[in-house]
mmCIF file of all heavy atoms in Angstrom:
data_model
loop_
_atom_site.group_PDB
_atom_site.id
_atom_site.type_symbol
_atom_site.label_atom_id
_atom_site.label_comp_id
_atom_site.label_asym_id
_atom_site.label_seq_id
_atom_site.Cartn_x
_atom_site.Cartn_y
_atom_site.Cartn_z
ATOM 1 N N LYS A 627 -9.320 27.671 1.367
ATOM 2 C CA LYS A 627 -8.123 28.293 0.787
ATOM 3 C C LYS A 627 -7.072 28.660 1.843
ATOM 4 O O LYS A 627 -5.983 29.074 1.506
ATOM 5 C CB LYS A 627 -8.504 29.544 -0.020
ATOM 6 C CG LYS A 627 -9.454 29.261 -1.167
ATOM 7 C CD LYS A 627 -8.836 28.325 -2.195
ATOM 8 C CE LYS A 627 -9.817 27.927 -3.265
ATOM 9 N NZ LYS A 627 -9.845 26.550 -3.634
ATOM 10 N N ILE A 631 -0.212 23.689 4.307
ATOM 11 C CA ILE A 631 0.381 22.376 4.060
ATOM 12 C C ILE A 631 1.894 22.543 4.117
ATOM 13 O O ILE A 631 2.417 23.528 3.587
ATOM 14 C CB ILE A 631 -0.048 21.860 2.662
ATOM 15 C CG1 ILE A 631 -1.579 21.713 2.583
ATOM 16 C CG2 ILE A 631 0.632 20.536 2.313
ATOM 17 C CD1 ILE A 631 -2.176 20.693 3.519
ATOM 18 N N ASP A 657 4.959 10.599 -4.883
ATOM 19 C CA ASP A 657 5.575 10.231 -3.609
ATOM 20 C C ASP A 657 5.919 8.748 -3.542
ATOM 21 O O ASP A 657 5.283 7.977 -2.840
ATOM 22 C CB ASP A 657 4.652 10.621 -2.452
ATOM 23 C CG ASP A 657 5.299 10.362 -1.088
ATOM 24 O OD1 ASP A 657 6.539 10.293 -1.029
ATOM 25 O OD2 ASP A 657 4.574 10.212 -0.095
ATOM 26 N N GLN A 658 6.924 8.361 -4.310
ATOM 27 C CA GLN A 658 7.480 7.014 -4.181
ATOM 28 C C GLN A 658 8.900 7.017 -4.715
ATOM 29 O O GLN A 658 9.201 7.660 -5.710
ATOM 30 C CB GLN A 658 6.635 5.979 -4.920
ATOM 31 C CG GLN A 658 6.403 6.253 -6.384
ATOM 32 C CD GLN A 658 5.408 5.268 -6.972
ATOM 33 O OE1 GLN A 658 4.260 5.222 -6.573
ATOM 34 N NE2 GLN A 658 5.848 4.481 -7.934
ATOM 35 N N GLU A 663 9.644 15.517 0.380
ATOM 36 C CA GLU A 663 9.670 16.936 -0.006
ATOM 37 C C GLU A 663 9.885 17.082 -1.508
ATOM 38 O O GLU A 663 9.341 17.985 -2.141
ATOM 39 C CB GLU A 663 10.804 17.708 0.697
ATOM 40 C CG GLU A 663 10.887 17.535 2.187
ATOM 41 C CD GLU A 663 11.814 16.392 2.582
ATOM 42 O OE1 GLU A 663 11.530 15.243 2.193
ATOM 43 O OE2 GLU A 663 12.802 16.663 3.260
ATOM 44 N N ALA A 673 4.098 23.103 -12.742
ATOM 45 C CA ALA A 673 3.317 24.307 -13.066
ATOM 46 C C ALA A 673 4.226 25.420 -13.581
ATOM 47 O O ALA A 673 3.921 26.070 -14.593
ATOM 48 C CB ALA A 673 2.543 24.775 -11.830
ATOM 49 N N LEU A 676 5.339 24.806 -17.020
ATOM 50 C CA LEU A 676 4.232 24.972 -17.977
ATOM 51 C C LEU A 676 3.852 26.451 -18.102
ATOM 52 O O LEU A 676 2.958 26.798 -18.869
ATOM 53 C CB LEU A 676 3.000 24.175 -17.510
ATOM 54 C CG LEU A 676 3.076 22.653 -17.630
ATOM 55 C CD1 LEU A 676 1.926 21.998 -16.899
ATOM 56 C CD2 LEU A 676 3.081 22.225 -19.099
ATOM 57 N N HIS A 684 -6.775 19.082 -18.076
ATOM 58 C CA HIS A 684 -7.002 19.072 -19.534
ATOM 59 C C HIS A 684 -5.700 19.364 -20.282
ATOM 60 O O HIS A 684 -5.349 18.680 -21.239
ATOM 61 C CB HIS A 684 -8.061 20.114 -19.924
ATOM 62 C CG HIS A 684 -9.435 19.798 -19.417
ATOM 63 N ND1 HIS A 684 -10.308 18.983 -20.094
ATOM 64 C CD2 HIS A 684 -10.073 20.188 -18.283
ATOM 65 C CE1 HIS A 684 -11.443 18.882 -19.401
ATOM 66 N NE2 HIS A 684 -11.321 19.593 -18.292
ATOM 67 N N ALA A 687 -3.201 16.356 -19.811
ATOM 68 C CA ALA A 687 -3.651 15.155 -20.531
ATOM 69 C C ALA A 687 -3.422 15.301 -22.034
ATOM 70 O O ALA A 687 -3.086 14.334 -22.720
ATOM 71 C CB ALA A 687 -5.126 14.904 -20.252
ATOM 72 N N ASP A 690 1.854 16.848 -25.466
ATOM 73 C CA ASP A 690 2.628 15.844 -26.201
ATOM 74 C C ASP A 690 3.462 15.035 -25.201
ATOM 75 O O ASP A 690 4.232 15.610 -24.426
ATOM 76 C CB ASP A 690 3.556 16.536 -27.208
ATOM 77 C CG ASP A 690 4.475 15.532 -27.889
ATOM 78 O OD1 ASP A 690 3.981 14.779 -28.740
ATOM 79 O OD2 ASP A 690 5.672 15.486 -27.532
ATOM 80 N N ALA A 703 15.463 17.469 -12.049
ATOM 81 C CA ALA A 703 14.355 16.603 -12.462
ATOM 82 C C ALA A 703 13.266 16.585 -11.388
ATOM 83 O O ALA A 703 13.545 16.725 -10.200
ATOM 84 C CB ALA A 703 14.862 15.191 -12.725
ATOM 85 N N VAL A 704 12.032 16.396 -11.843
ATOM 86 C CA VAL A 704 10.884 16.379 -10.931
ATOM 87 C C VAL A 704 10.864 15.098 -10.095
ATOM 88 O O VAL A 704 10.293 15.059 -9.017
ATOM 89 C CB VAL A 704 9.580 16.550 -11.754
ATOM 90 C CG1 VAL A 704 8.345 16.223 -10.948
ATOM 91 C CG2 VAL A 704 9.485 17.975 -12.284
ATOM 92 N N HIS A 705 11.516 14.041 -10.608
ATOM 93 C CA HIS A 705 11.498 12.750 -9.922
ATOM 94 C C HIS A 705 12.734 11.962 -10.333
ATOM 95 O O HIS A 705 13.364 12.270 -11.348
ATOM 96 C CB HIS A 705 10.229 11.983 -10.330
ATOM 97 C CG HIS A 705 9.910 10.807 -9.455
ATOM 98 N ND1 HIS A 705 10.458 9.559 -9.661
ATOM 99 C CD2 HIS A 705 9.095 10.678 -8.379
ATOM 100 C CE1 HIS A 705 9.988 8.720 -8.738
ATOM 101 N NE2 HIS A 705 9.163 9.373 -7.949
ATOM 102 N N LEU A 722 -8.910 11.827 -14.940
ATOM 103 C CA LEU A 722 -9.714 12.885 -14.320
ATOM 104 C C LEU A 722 -10.560 13.621 -15.361
ATOM 105 O O LEU A 722 -11.706 13.979 -15.104
ATOM 106 C CB LEU A 722 -8.803 13.881 -13.584
ATOM 107 C CG LEU A 722 -8.109 13.348 -12.329
ATOM 108 C CD1 LEU A 722 -7.075 14.341 -11.820
ATOM 109 C CD2 LEU A 722 -9.117 13.027 -11.226
ATOM 110 N N GLY A 728 -12.029 16.740 -15.493
ATOM 111 C CA GLY A 728 -10.763 17.398 -15.165
ATOM 112 C C GLY A 728 -10.710 18.030 -13.786
ATOM 113 O O GLY A 728 -9.716 18.656 -13.422
ATOM 114 N N ASN A 729 -11.778 17.854 -13.008
ATOM 115 C CA ASN A 729 -11.838 18.474 -11.684
ATOM 116 C C ASN A 729 -11.427 17.468 -10.603
ATOM 117 O O ASN A 729 -12.212 16.615 -10.205
ATOM 118 C CB ASN A 729 -13.265 18.984 -11.427
ATOM 119 C CG ASN A 729 -13.424 19.566 -10.027
ATOM 120 O OD1 ASN A 729 -12.451 19.773 -9.300
ATOM 121 N ND2 ASN A 729 -14.653 19.820 -9.648
ATOM 122 N N ALA A 732 -13.561 16.834 -7.484
ATOM 123 C CA ALA A 732 -14.801 16.063 -7.654
ATOM 124 C C ALA A 732 -14.623 14.604 -7.211
ATOM 125 O O ALA A 732 -15.601 13.917 -6.912
ATOM 126 C CB ALA A 732 -15.257 16.103 -9.112
ATOM 127 N N GLN A 756 -2.396 1.287 -0.536
ATOM 128 C CA GLN A 756 -1.659 2.076 0.461
ATOM 129 C C GLN A 756 -1.666 3.562 0.112
ATOM 130 O O GLN A 756 -1.957 4.412 0.955
ATOM 131 C CB GLN A 756 -0.217 1.571 0.566
ATOM 132 C CG GLN A 756 0.543 2.240 1.695
ATOM 133 C CD GLN A 756 1.995 1.797 1.778
ATOM 134 O OE1 GLN A 756 2.610 1.450 0.778
ATOM 135 N NE2 GLN A 756 2.543 1.817 2.968
ATOM 136 N N PRO A 798 8.788 20.516 9.970
ATOM 137 C CA PRO A 798 10.028 19.722 9.959
ATOM 138 C C PRO A 798 10.081 18.648 11.044
ATOM 139 O O PRO A 798 10.583 17.550 10.809
ATOM 140 C CB PRO A 798 11.119 20.771 10.189
ATOM 141 C CG PRO A 798 10.505 22.068 9.796
ATOM 142 C CD PRO A 798 9.044 21.956 10.077
ATOM 143 N N SER A 800 7.574 16.934 12.567
ATOM 144 C CA SER A 800 6.750 15.759 12.255
ATOM 145 C C SER A 800 7.284 15.021 11.027
ATOM 146 O O SER A 800 7.173 13.809 10.926
ATOM 147 C CB SER A 800 5.278 16.151 12.071
ATOM 148 O OG SER A 800 5.150 17.283 11.246
ATOM 149 N N HIS A 807 9.731 6.642 11.272
ATOM 150 C CA HIS A 807 8.765 5.536 11.240
ATOM 151 C C HIS A 807 8.953 4.705 9.968
ATOM 152 O O HIS A 807 8.960 3.480 10.006
ATOM 153 C CB HIS A 807 7.337 6.076 11.299
ATOM 154 C CG HIS A 807 6.291 5.008 11.079
ATOM 155 N ND1 HIS A 807 5.936 4.101 12.050
ATOM 156 C CD2 HIS A 807 5.557 4.679 9.980
ATOM 157 C CE1 HIS A 807 5.017 3.270 11.568
ATOM 158 N NE2 HIS A 807 4.771 3.607 10.316
ATOM 159 N N SER A 821 14.685 -13.379 8.141
ATOM 160 C CA SER A 821 14.391 -14.532 9.001
ATOM 161 C C SER A 821 13.505 -15.544 8.258
ATOM 162 O O SER A 821 13.604 -16.735 8.482
ATOM 163 C CB SER A 821 13.722 -14.075 10.288
ATOM 164 O OG SER A 821 12.444 -13.516 9.995
ATOM 165 N N GLY A 823 13.672 -16.134 5.143
ATOM 166 C CA GLY A 823 14.418 -16.793 4.063
ATOM 167 C C GLY A 823 15.541 -17.650 4.566
ATOM 168 O O GLY A 823 16.332 -18.176 3.807
#
Side-chain angles (χ1 to χ4, degrees):
K627 300 298 174 224
I631 299 296
D657 185 22
Q658 56 187 63
E663 310 92 299
L676 288 169
H684 293 274
D690 174 73
V704 167
H705 194 274
L722 291 171
N729 176 10
Q756 187 183 30
S800 46
H807 172 77
S821 65

